[in-house]
Amino acid sequence: MRQVIEFELNGQEVSAAVTGGQTLLDLLRDEFELYGVKEGCGAGECGACTVIVDGLALTACIFPAREVEGASVTTIEGLASAQGELHPIQESFVNQGAVQCGFCTPGNVLSAKALLDENPSPSEEEIRVAIAGNLCRCTGYTQIVEAIQDAAGRKS
Ligand code: FES
Ligand code: FES
């Protein structure tokens, strides 16, 4: 049975008819065509599907769609300005060489955003903890950590 939910998606009020078993990942990709939300493992283990819900980075592949009723959801599509200017965290990822194949990048950027919104000056350890659930096969993580440090430096 479908249930109509309303929530905020990248700053816009939206509604959707969801089923009980539908994941937030499927809702965002299939109904809203937000393909920056990647499907990797589908089991909550790789972080490719990370989005921000009410300030918390979480894995959309195991999060029930109906639970975003009344919440604020941010995907990678919500970060750049309407004019297409990259968010400072995205700029830092580009500048620090933290993007290679790019599959993990939306998730890592959103985990970084949730961290920096909560803690504008994180330690390296805090950064590594924040992205611990975001697997990257390409970069070895050093550039990702440096990108987040760079982004934190720009904000302060
Ligand atoms: S696709 Fe969601 S954690 Fe891997
Ligand atoms: S840039 Fe390829 S998986 Fe991270």
Side-chain angles (χ1 to χ4, degrees):
M1 201 174 86
R2 288 188 176 264
Q3 167 191 352
V4 176
I5 60 168
E6 296 183 353
F7 61 104
E8 187 183 294
L9 178 57
N10 294 332
Q12 306 283 324
E13 293 297 327
V14 298
S15 63
V18 303
T19 60
Q22 190 172 15
T23 66
L24 180 57
L25 171 69
D26 287 342
L27 175 67
L28 294 172
R29 288 181 61 92
D30 298 344
E31 305 297 327
F32 292 97
E33 301 182 346
L34 294 171
Y35 301 120
V37 191
K38 303 300 184 196
E39 180 165 14
C41 66
E45 293 173 0
C46 75
C49 63
T50 300
V51 298
I52 300 175
V53 177
D54 285 343
L56 295 176
L58 54 78
T59 46
C61 71
I62 55 170
F63 195 84
R66 64 184 175 195
E67 289 195 17
V68 297
E69 163 77 34
S72 172
V73 178
T74 302
T75 72
I76 196 71
E77 290 85 353
L79 261 59
S81 74
Q83 292 73 35
E85 283 175 21
L86 293 180
H87 185 280
I89 298 173
Q90 293 174 303
E91 282 185 352
S92 291
F93 269 65
V94 172
N95 294 342
Q96 299 296 320
V99 182
Q100 291 190 25
C101 81
F103 192 78
C104 74
T105 307
N108 268 299
V109 168
L110 289 167
S111 287
K113 183 173 190 315
L115 170 66
L116 296 181
D117 285 348
E118 177 74 23
N119 176 5
S121 302
S123 65
E124 178 177 341
E125 179 63 21
E126 288 169 331
I127 291 171
R128 288 188 180 274
V129 168
I131 61 167
N134 294 92
L135 303 187
C136 177
R137 297 180 182 187
C138 307
T139 68
Y141 301 100
T142 299
Q143 295 97 320
I144 294 173
V145 171
E146 289 173 352
I148 298 170
Q149 289 173 322
D150 181 68
R154 289 175 186 223
K155 286 182 94 175
S156 57

